[in-house]
PDB file of all heavy atoms in Angstrom:
ATOM      1  N   GLY A  15      96.953 -27.236  83.995  1.00  0.00           N
ATOM      2  CA  GLY A  15      98.161 -27.879  83.920  1.00  0.00           C
ATOM      3  C   GLY A  15      98.287 -29.202  84.544  1.00  0.00           C
ATOM      4  O   GLY A  15      98.740 -30.284  83.964  1.00  0.00           O
ATOM      5  N   LYS A  16      97.795 -29.449  85.665  1.00  0.00           N
ATOM      6  CA  LYS A  16      97.823 -30.704  86.471  1.00  0.00           C
ATOM      7  C   LYS A  16      97.004 -31.710  85.717  1.00  0.00           C
ATOM      8  O   LYS A  16      97.449 -32.932  85.704  1.00  0.00           O
ATOM      9  CB  LYS A  16      97.364 -30.503  87.859  1.00  0.00           C
ATOM     10  CG  LYS A  16      97.573 -31.662  88.753  1.00  0.00           C
ATOM     11  CD  LYS A  16      97.208 -31.428  90.239  1.00  0.00           C
ATOM     12  CE  LYS A  16      97.474 -32.800  91.121  1.00  0.00           C
ATOM     13  NZ  LYS A  16      97.168 -32.458  92.444  1.00  0.00           N
ATOM     14  N   GLN A  17      95.867 -31.312  85.230  1.00  0.00           N
ATOM     15  CA  GLN A  17      94.960 -32.277  84.503  1.00  0.00           C
ATOM     16  C   GLN A  17      95.716 -32.811  83.225  1.00  0.00           C
ATOM     17  O   GLN A  17      95.556 -33.906  82.812  1.00  0.00           O
ATOM     18  CB  GLN A  17      93.684 -31.579  84.108  1.00  0.00           C
ATOM     19  CG  GLN A  17      92.750 -31.403  85.282  1.00  0.00           C
ATOM     20  CD  GLN A  17      93.079 -30.184  86.148  1.00  0.00           C
ATOM     21  OE1 GLN A  17      94.030 -29.499  85.886  1.00  0.00           O
ATOM     22  NE2 GLN A  17      92.255 -30.048  87.213  1.00  0.00           N
ATOM     23  N   LEU A  18      96.478 -31.955  82.618  1.00  0.00           N
ATOM     24  CA  LEU A  18      97.267 -32.340  81.460  1.00  0.00           C
ATOM     25  C   LEU A  18      98.264 -33.519  81.756  1.00  0.00           C
ATOM     26  O   LEU A  18      98.394 -34.468  81.110  1.00  0.00           O
ATOM     27  CB  LEU A  18      98.031 -31.224  80.768  1.00  0.00           C
ATOM     28  CG  LEU A  18      97.078 -30.078  80.127  1.00  0.00           C
ATOM     29  CD1 LEU A  18      97.997 -28.874  79.725  1.00  0.00           C
ATOM     30  CD2 LEU A  18      96.290 -30.666  78.953  1.00  0.00           C
ATOM     31  N   PHE A  19      98.935 -33.326  82.964  1.00  0.00           N
ATOM     32  CA  PHE A  19      99.882 -34.337  83.400  1.00  0.00           C
ATOM     33  C   PHE A  19      99.087 -35.641  83.787  1.00  0.00           C
ATOM     34  O   PHE A  19      99.640 -36.709  83.530  1.00  0.00           O
ATOM     35  CB  PHE A  19     100.644 -33.751  84.602  1.00  0.00           C
ATOM     36  CG  PHE A  19     101.805 -32.976  84.249  1.00  0.00           C
ATOM     37  CD1 PHE A  19     101.728 -31.636  83.878  1.00  0.00           C
ATOM     38  CD2 PHE A  19     103.135 -33.517  84.267  1.00  0.00           C
ATOM     39  CE1 PHE A  19     102.799 -30.841  83.505  1.00  0.00           C
ATOM     40  CE2 PHE A  19     104.181 -32.764  83.876  1.00  0.00           C
ATOM     41  CZ  PHE A  19     104.062 -31.417  83.514  1.00  0.00           C
ATOM     42  N   MET A  20      97.949 -35.497  84.342  1.00  0.00           N
ATOM     43  CA  MET A  20      97.150 -36.614  84.762  1.00  0.00           C
ATOM     44  C   MET A  20      96.751 -37.510  83.516  1.00  0.00           C
ATOM     45  O   MET A  20      96.547 -38.727  83.672  1.00  0.00           O
ATOM     46  CB  MET A  20      95.945 -36.184  85.643  1.00  0.00           C
ATOM     47  CG  MET A  20      96.334 -35.690  86.935  1.00  0.00           C
ATOM     48  SD  MET A  20      94.818 -34.937  87.831  1.00  0.00           S
ATOM     49  CE  MET A  20      93.894 -36.309  88.108  1.00  0.00           C
ATOM     50  N   ALA A  21      96.661 -36.857  82.384  1.00  0.00           N
ATOM     51  CA  ALA A  21      96.251 -37.632  81.151  1.00  0.00           C
ATOM     52  C   ALA A  21      97.360 -38.575  80.747  1.00  0.00           C
ATOM     53  O   ALA A  21      97.176 -39.594  80.086  1.00  0.00           O
ATOM     54  CB  ALA A  21      96.007 -36.642  80.063  1.00  0.00           C
ATOM     55  N   PHE A  22      98.559 -38.301  81.186  1.00  0.00           N
ATOM     56  CA  PHE A  22      99.707 -39.109  80.792  1.00  0.00           C
ATOM     57  C   PHE A  22     100.071 -40.244  81.804  1.00  0.00           C
ATOM     58  O   PHE A  22     100.612 -41.182  81.406  1.00  0.00           O
ATOM     59  CB  PHE A  22     100.990 -38.226  80.564  1.00  0.00           C
ATOM     60  CG  PHE A  22     101.000 -37.448  79.319  1.00  0.00           C
ATOM     61  CD1 PHE A  22     100.299 -36.245  79.184  1.00  0.00           C
ATOM     62  CD2 PHE A  22     101.619 -37.914  78.195  1.00  0.00           C
ATOM     63  CE1 PHE A  22     100.321 -35.506  78.040  1.00  0.00           C
ATOM     64  CE2 PHE A  22     101.667 -37.146  76.993  1.00  0.00           C
ATOM     65  CZ  PHE A  22     100.946 -36.020  76.924  1.00  0.00           C
ATOM     66  N   SER A  23      99.915 -39.853  83.053  1.00  0.00           N
ATOM     67  CA  SER A  23     100.315 -40.783  84.039  1.00  0.00           C
ATOM     68  C   SER A  23      99.326 -40.808  85.298  1.00  0.00           C
ATOM     69  O   SER A  23      98.726 -39.849  85.616  1.00  0.00           O
ATOM     70  CB  SER A  23     101.744 -40.253  84.627  1.00  0.00           C
ATOM     71  OG  SER A  23     102.054 -41.050  85.777  1.00  0.00           O
ATOM     72  N   ALA A  24      99.249 -42.004  85.864  1.00  0.00           N
ATOM     73  CA  ALA A  24      98.386 -42.288  87.032  1.00  0.00           C
ATOM     74  C   ALA A  24      99.200 -42.091  88.298  1.00  0.00           C
ATOM     75  O   ALA A  24      98.623 -42.322  89.421  1.00  0.00           O
ATOM     76  CB  ALA A  24      97.644 -43.545  86.949  1.00  0.00           C
ATOM     77  N   ASP A  25     100.502 -41.834  88.210  1.00  0.00           N
ATOM     78  CA  ASP A  25     101.382 -41.776  89.345  1.00  0.00           C
ATOM     79  C   ASP A  25     101.174 -40.500  90.033  1.00  0.00           C
ATOM     80  O   ASP A  25     101.485 -39.441  89.624  1.00  0.00           O
ATOM     81  CB  ASP A  25     102.812 -41.936  88.866  1.00  0.00           C
ATOM     82  CG  ASP A  25     103.801 -42.117  90.014  1.00  0.00           C
ATOM     83  OD1 ASP A  25     103.494 -41.774  91.163  1.00  0.00           O
ATOM     84  OD2 ASP A  25     104.969 -42.654  89.684  1.00  0.00           O
ATOM     85  N   PRO A  26     100.739 -40.498  91.438  1.00  0.00           N
ATOM     86  CA  PRO A  26     100.522 -39.404  92.206  1.00  0.00           C
ATOM     87  C   PRO A  26     101.783 -38.592  92.371  1.00  0.00           C
ATOM     88  O   PRO A  26     101.811 -37.293  92.496  1.00  0.00           O
ATOM     89  CB  PRO A  26     100.141 -39.908  93.598  1.00  0.00           C
ATOM     90  CG  PRO A  26      99.506 -41.228  93.292  1.00  0.00           C
ATOM     91  CD  PRO A  26     100.328 -41.815  92.209  1.00  0.00           C
ATOM     92  N   ALA A  27     102.986 -39.156  92.360  1.00  0.00           N
ATOM     93  CA  ALA A  27     104.294 -38.506  92.463  1.00  0.00           C
ATOM     94  C   ALA A  27     104.539 -37.563  91.303  1.00  0.00           C
ATOM     95  O   ALA A  27     105.003 -36.462  91.378  1.00  0.00           O
ATOM     96  CB  ALA A  27     105.434 -39.471  92.597  1.00  0.00           C
ATOM     97  N   VAL A  28     104.195 -38.035  90.097  1.00  0.00           N
ATOM     98  CA  VAL A  28     104.229 -37.142  88.873  1.00  0.00           C
ATOM     99  C   VAL A  28     103.324 -36.071  88.986  1.00  0.00           C
ATOM    100  O   VAL A  28     103.675 -34.881  88.593  1.00  0.00           O
ATOM    101  CB  VAL A  28     103.977 -38.097  87.663  1.00  0.00           C
ATOM    102  CG1 VAL A  28     103.905 -37.210  86.377  1.00  0.00           C
ATOM    103  CG2 VAL A  28     105.050 -39.155  87.560  1.00  0.00           C
ATOM    104  N   HIS A  29     102.067 -36.256  89.467  1.00  0.00           N
ATOM    105  CA  HIS A  29     101.079 -35.165  89.574  1.00  0.00           C
ATOM    106  C   HIS A  29     101.659 -34.135  90.653  1.00  0.00           C
ATOM    107  O   HIS A  29     101.447 -32.895  90.406  1.00  0.00           O
ATOM    108  CB  HIS A  29      99.793 -35.740  90.107  1.00  0.00           C
ATOM    109  CG  HIS A  29      99.211 -36.797  89.265  1.00  0.00           C
ATOM    110  ND1 HIS A  29      98.213 -37.685  89.717  1.00  0.00           N
ATOM    111  CD2 HIS A  29      99.552 -37.241  87.983  1.00  0.00           C
ATOM    112  CE1 HIS A  29      97.862 -38.503  88.686  1.00  0.00           C
ATOM    113  NE2 HIS A  29      98.658 -38.295  87.621  1.00  0.00           N
ATOM    114  N   ALA A  30     102.278 -34.579  91.644  1.00  0.00           N
ATOM    115  CA  ALA A  30     102.767 -33.666  92.704  1.00  0.00           C
ATOM    116  C   ALA A  30     103.874 -32.757  92.121  1.00  0.00           C
ATOM    117  O   ALA A  30     103.997 -31.659  92.493  1.00  0.00           O
ATOM    118  CB  ALA A  30     103.171 -34.444  93.909  1.00  0.00           C
ATOM    119  N   MET A  31     104.704 -33.328  91.265  1.00  0.00           N
ATOM    120  CA  MET A  31     105.825 -32.516  90.774  1.00  0.00           C
ATOM    121  C   MET A  31     105.523 -31.616  89.576  1.00  0.00           C
ATOM    122  O   MET A  31     106.280 -30.874  89.175  1.00  0.00           O
ATOM    123  CB  MET A  31     106.953 -33.465  90.308  1.00  0.00           C
ATOM    124  CG  MET A  31     107.606 -34.290  91.472  1.00  0.00           C
ATOM    125  SD  MET A  31     109.037 -35.158  90.971  1.00  0.00           S
ATOM    126  CE  MET A  31     110.279 -33.813  90.823  1.00  0.00           C
ATOM    127  N   SER A  32     104.266 -31.855  88.980  1.00  0.00           N
ATOM    128  CA  SER A  32     103.896 -31.131  87.796  1.00  0.00           C
ATOM    129  C   SER A  32     103.798 -29.679  88.040  1.00  0.00           C
ATOM    130  O   SER A  32     104.244 -28.905  87.102  1.00  0.00           O
ATOM    131  CB  SER A  32     102.536 -31.617  87.306  1.00  0.00           C
ATOM    132  OG  SER A  32     101.561 -31.367  88.280  1.00  0.00           O
ATOM    133  N   GLY A  33     103.444 -29.184  89.283  1.00  0.00           N
ATOM    134  CA  GLY A  33     103.442 -27.797  89.592  1.00  0.00           C
ATOM    135  C   GLY A  33     104.767 -27.133  89.471  1.00  0.00           C
ATOM    136  O   GLY A  33     104.833 -25.915  88.943  1.00  0.00           O
ATOM    137  N   GLU A  34     105.883 -27.759  89.824  1.00  0.00           N
ATOM    138  CA  GLU A  34     107.196 -27.215  89.674  1.00  0.00           C
ATOM    139  C   GLU A  34     107.511 -26.986  88.237  1.00  0.00           C
ATOM    140  O   GLU A  34     108.072 -26.015  87.925  1.00  0.00           O
ATOM    141  CB  GLU A  34     108.180 -28.133  90.375  1.00  0.00           C
ATOM    142  CG  GLU A  34     108.233 -28.055  91.946  1.00  0.00           C
ATOM    143  CD  GLU A  34     109.354 -28.865  92.428  1.00  0.00           C
ATOM    144  OE1 GLU A  34     110.527 -28.506  92.363  1.00  0.00           O
ATOM    145  OE2 GLU A  34     109.061 -30.075  92.861  1.00  0.00           O
ATOM    146  N   PHE A  35     107.217 -28.048  87.398  1.00  0.00           N
ATOM    147  CA  PHE A  35     107.534 -27.987  86.137  1.00  0.00           C
ATOM    148  C   PHE A  35     106.818 -26.762  85.410  1.00  0.00           C
ATOM    149  O   PHE A  35     107.468 -26.010  84.623  1.00  0.00           O
ATOM    150  CB  PHE A  35     107.231 -29.246  85.306  1.00  0.00           C
ATOM    151  CG  PHE A  35     107.578 -29.249  83.864  1.00  0.00           C
ATOM    152  CD1 PHE A  35     108.689 -29.707  83.437  1.00  0.00           C
ATOM    153  CD2 PHE A  35     106.627 -28.702  82.857  1.00  0.00           C
ATOM    154  CE1 PHE A  35     109.089 -29.709  82.022  1.00  0.00           C
ATOM    155  CE2 PHE A  35     106.940 -28.680  81.517  1.00  0.00           C
ATOM    156  CZ  PHE A  35     108.124 -29.153  81.107  1.00  0.00           C
ATOM    157  N   ILE A  36     105.523 -26.692  85.676  1.00  0.00           N
ATOM    158  CA  ILE A  36     104.721 -25.674  85.052  1.00  0.00           C
ATOM    159  C   ILE A  36     105.231 -24.178  85.378  1.00  0.00           C
ATOM    160  O   ILE A  36     105.402 -23.359  84.631  1.00  0.00           O
ATOM    161  CB  ILE A  36     103.214 -25.789  85.381  1.00  0.00           C
ATOM    162  CG1 ILE A  36     102.736 -27.085  84.801  1.00  0.00           C
ATOM    163  CG2 ILE A  36     102.442 -24.601  84.977  1.00  0.00           C
ATOM    164  CD1 ILE A  36     101.303 -27.470  85.372  1.00  0.00           C
ATOM    165  N   ALA A  37     105.522 -24.072  86.794  1.00  0.00           N
ATOM    166  CA  ALA A  37     106.035 -22.798  87.237  1.00  0.00           C
ATOM    167  C   ALA A  37     107.348 -22.290  86.581  1.00  0.00           C
ATOM    168  O   ALA A  37     107.535 -21.083  86.351  1.00  0.00           O
ATOM    169  CB  ALA A  37     106.173 -22.865  88.747  1.00  0.00           C
ATOM    170  N   ALA A  38     108.116 -23.358  86.229  1.00  0.00           N
ATOM    171  CA  ALA A  38     109.468 -22.982  85.593  1.00  0.00           C
ATOM    172  C   ALA A  38     109.286 -22.782  84.108  1.00  0.00           C
ATOM    173  O   ALA A  38     109.912 -21.824  83.524  1.00  0.00           O
ATOM    174  CB  ALA A  38     110.441 -24.106  85.907  1.00  0.00           C
ATOM    175  N   ILE A  39     108.545 -23.621  83.464  1.00  0.00           N
ATOM    176  CA  ILE A  39     108.480 -23.512  81.918  1.00  0.00           C
ATOM    177  C   ILE A  39     107.754 -22.366  81.406  1.00  0.00           C
ATOM    178  O   ILE A  39     108.019 -21.935  80.317  1.00  0.00           O
ATOM    179  CB  ILE A  39     107.931 -24.912  81.415  1.00  0.00           C
ATOM    180  CG1 ILE A  39     108.396 -25.159  79.948  1.00  0.00           C
ATOM    181  CG2 ILE A  39     106.319 -24.827  81.352  1.00  0.00           C
ATOM    182  CD1 ILE A  39     109.909 -25.497  79.868  1.00  0.00           C
ATOM    183  N   LEU A  40     106.882 -21.791  82.230  1.00  0.00           N
ATOM    184  CA  LEU A  40     106.047 -20.560  81.723  1.00  0.00           C
ATOM    185  C   LEU A  40     106.932 -19.425  81.394  1.00  0.00           C
ATOM    186  O   LEU A  40     106.573 -18.582  80.562  1.00  0.00           O
ATOM    187  CB  LEU A  40     105.087 -20.185  82.740  1.00  0.00           C
ATOM    188  CG  LEU A  40     103.802 -21.089  82.866  1.00  0.00           C
ATOM    189  CD1 LEU A  40     102.889 -20.635  83.981  1.00  0.00           C
ATOM    190  CD2 LEU A  40     103.050 -21.077  81.588  1.00  0.00           C
ATOM    191  N   TRP A  41     108.148 -19.401  81.992  1.00  0.00           N
ATOM    192  CA  TRP A  41     109.079 -18.220  81.694  1.00  0.00           C
ATOM    193  C   TRP A  41     109.549 -18.278  80.249  1.00  0.00           C
ATOM    194  O   TRP A  41     109.995 -17.331  79.725  1.00  0.00           O
ATOM    195  CB  TRP A  41     110.263 -18.294  82.591  1.00  0.00           C
ATOM    196  CG  TRP A  41     109.878 -17.957  84.044  1.00  0.00           C
ATOM    197  CD1 TRP A  41     109.686 -18.789  85.100  1.00  0.00           C
ATOM    198  CD2 TRP A  41     109.700 -16.668  84.627  1.00  0.00           C
ATOM    199  NE1 TRP A  41     109.364 -18.006  86.194  1.00  0.00           N
ATOM    200  CE2 TRP A  41     109.374 -16.744  85.971  1.00  0.00           C
ATOM    201  CE3 TRP A  41     109.817 -15.330  84.059  1.00  0.00           C
ATOM    202  CZ2 TRP A  41     109.158 -15.662  86.821  1.00  0.00           C
ATOM    203  CZ3 TRP A  41     109.563 -14.197  84.851  1.00  0.00           C
ATOM    204  CH2 TRP A  41     109.242 -14.346  86.268  1.00  0.00           C
ATOM    205  N   MET A  42     109.468 -19.427  79.655  1.00  0.00           N
ATOM    206  CA  MET A  42     109.970 -19.607  78.209  1.00  0.00           C
ATOM    207  C   MET A  42     108.996 -19.059  77.197  1.00  0.00           C
ATOM    208  O   MET A  42     109.397 -18.682  76.076  1.00  0.00           O
ATOM    209  CB  MET A  42     110.242 -21.107  77.994  1.00  0.00           C
ATOM    210  CG  MET A  42     110.734 -21.453  76.545  1.00  0.00           C
ATOM    211  SD  MET A  42     111.145 -23.256  76.369  1.00  0.00           S
ATOM    212  CE  MET A  42     109.397 -23.885  76.427  1.00  0.00           C
ATOM    213  N   PHE A  43     107.776 -19.050  77.485  1.00  0.00           N
ATOM    214  CA  PHE A  43     106.686 -18.770  76.489  1.00  0.00           C
ATOM    215  C   PHE A  43     106.852 -17.389  75.759  1.00  0.00           C
ATOM    216  O   PHE A  43     106.722 -17.312  74.553  1.00  0.00           O
ATOM    217  CB  PHE A  43     105.281 -18.844  77.120  1.00  0.00           C
ATOM    218  CG  PHE A  43     104.827 -20.248  77.218  1.00  0.00           C
ATOM    219  CD1 PHE A  43     105.612 -21.255  77.760  1.00  0.00           C
ATOM    220  CD2 PHE A  43     103.638 -20.674  76.690  1.00  0.00           C
ATOM    221  CE1 PHE A  43     105.237 -22.601  77.822  1.00  0.00           C
ATOM    222  CE2 PHE A  43     103.118 -21.923  76.849  1.00  0.00           C
ATOM    223  CZ  PHE A  43     103.934 -22.917  77.402  1.00  0.00           C
ATOM    224  N   PRO A  44     107.165 -16.300  76.435  1.00  0.00           N
ATOM    225  CA  PRO A  44     107.289 -15.041  75.674  1.00  0.00           C
ATOM    226  C   PRO A  44     108.416 -15.069  74.717  1.00  0.00           C
ATOM    227  O   PRO A  44     108.287 -14.571  73.565  1.00  0.00           O
ATOM    228  CB  PRO A  44     107.582 -13.990  76.783  1.00  0.00           C
ATOM    229  CG  PRO A  44     106.917 -14.600  78.063  1.00  0.00           C
ATOM    230  CD  PRO A  44     107.141 -16.062  77.906  1.00  0.00           C
ATOM    231  N   ALA A  45     109.532 -15.811  75.063  1.00  0.00           N
ATOM    232  CA  ALA A  45     110.639 -15.871  74.118  1.00  0.00           C
ATOM    233  C   ALA A  45     110.246 -16.676  72.898  1.00  0.00           C
ATOM    234  O   ALA A  45     110.648 -16.351  71.739  1.00  0.00           O
ATOM    235  CB  ALA A  45     111.800 -16.554  74.809  1.00  0.00           C
TER     236      ALA A  45
END
């Protein structure tokens, strides 16, 4: 997941926040 975000942006702040996004969005996948 983090590596995917790093492909889009070199901003460390974006990399740091990526974990929150991933943890939340995974709940959507079964639906």
Side-chain angles (χ1 to χ4, degrees):
K16 188 173 182 180
Q17 286 78 4
L18 292 173
F19 277 78
M20 291 171 68
F22 285 82
S23 174
D25 192 337
V28 173
H29 304 163
M31 294 190 72
S32 65
E34 286 186 76
F35 182 92
I36 294 169
I39 205 66
L40 283 175
W41 290 100
M42 178 178 69
F43 279 50

